[in-house]
Amino acid sequence: LLIIFFQFNLYKLNHIVNFPDKLRTFIYAGDKEFFTGNFKSYSKLIEYYKKISSEHECIQIFTDETALPFLLKKKSCTKFYIMNLIKTNKSQNNFINELKLNKPKIILYKSEKFDFGNTSALTIIDDYIRANYVFHSKLDFWTFFKIKK
């Protein structure tokens, strides 16, 4: 029993000793190091979105990919980037007002990869986007719209 007890504690002690190094590695890891398994396709999305928005100061998403502004190192064109939080008509109208004000050139409109169904209830915003934006391109699981000229 004593052998098992000491062996268990020494194992935990090893984790404590290595913690600072593991934490440092985690903090300074590059963004792409987190894209493994099913998330590898996000590297392609980020490179593509970076390319098509290179001349724009901000990006706008209408999907559940809330990490994209961070990963692209760009601000969101509106204060709304978590679609689940804007289900009320008032919030949707505020979103539209910010779209009108900032006029994002390209919107990530649809995702088939990471979709919680939050945008299906946002009919006011969807109607506005469809009236003022047109299809731009499709990359794998993602559809982009561009502003009408």
Side-chain angles (χ1 to χ4, degrees):
L1 218 66
L2 285 173
I3 293 172
I4 293 172
F5 175 75
F6 284 118
Q7 199 173 29
F8 181 72
N9 284 335
L10 290 176
Y11 177 73
K12 284 188 174 185
L13 183 62
N14 188 30
H15 281 244
I16 292 170
V17 171
N18 292 331
F19 179 75
D21 290 333
K22 290 184 183 236
L23 182 62
R24 197 173 301 108
T25 301
F26 178 74
I27 289 172
Y28 294 109
D31 295 338
K32 289 183 180 180
E33 292 182 46
F34 293 97
F35 299 132
T36 59
N38 290 337
F39 294 101
K40 281 188 177 181
S41 58
Y42 274 96
S43 293
K44 193 173 177 182
L45 169 66
I46 290 164
E47 292 304 316
Y48 180 73
Y49 204 172
K50 199 178 282 187
K51 179 182 170 187
I52 64 174
S53 67
S54 64
E55 297 177 8
H56 312 147
E57 291 182 23
C58 61
I59 62 163
Q60 186 60 52
I61 58 171
F62 188 58
T63 67
D64 291 316
E65 272 96 2
T66 58
L68 281 179
F70 171 78
L71 294 169
L72 290 167
K73 312 293 189 253
K74 290 190 177 209
K75 65 181 183 174
S76 177
C77 294
T78 68
K79 64 183 172 190
F80 302 98
Y81 59 93
I82 300 176
M83 297 301 118
N84 192 37
L85 301 178
I86 55 175
K87 290 190 176 179
T88 66
N89 288 353
K90 182 179 178 181
S91 295
Q92 289 187 60
N93 287 322
N94 287 339
F95 182 95
I96 291 169
N97 288 337
E98 288 194 35
L99 281 179
K100 288 177 183 177
L101 181 68
N102 296 315
K103 294 181 175 63
K105 307 287 188 266
I106 295 176
I107 294 177
L108 176 54
Y109 177 72
K110 185 177 180 185
S111 171
E112 298 163 19
K113 180 86 170 169
F114 193 72
D115 183 12
F116 292 131
N118 293 322
T119 57
S120 62
L122 306 178
T123 56
I124 298 170
I125 298 170
D126 190 46
D127 291 345
Y128 176 82
I129 291 174
R130 289 187 170 274
N132 294 282
Y133 288 79
V134 295
F135 176 82
H136 174 271
S137 58
K138 181 163 175 64
L139 173 73
D140 297 338
F141 310 101
W142 300 280
T143 304
F144 294 88
F145 278 21
K146 65 181 178 180
I147 197 164
K148 286 182 181 177
K149 300 254 176 180

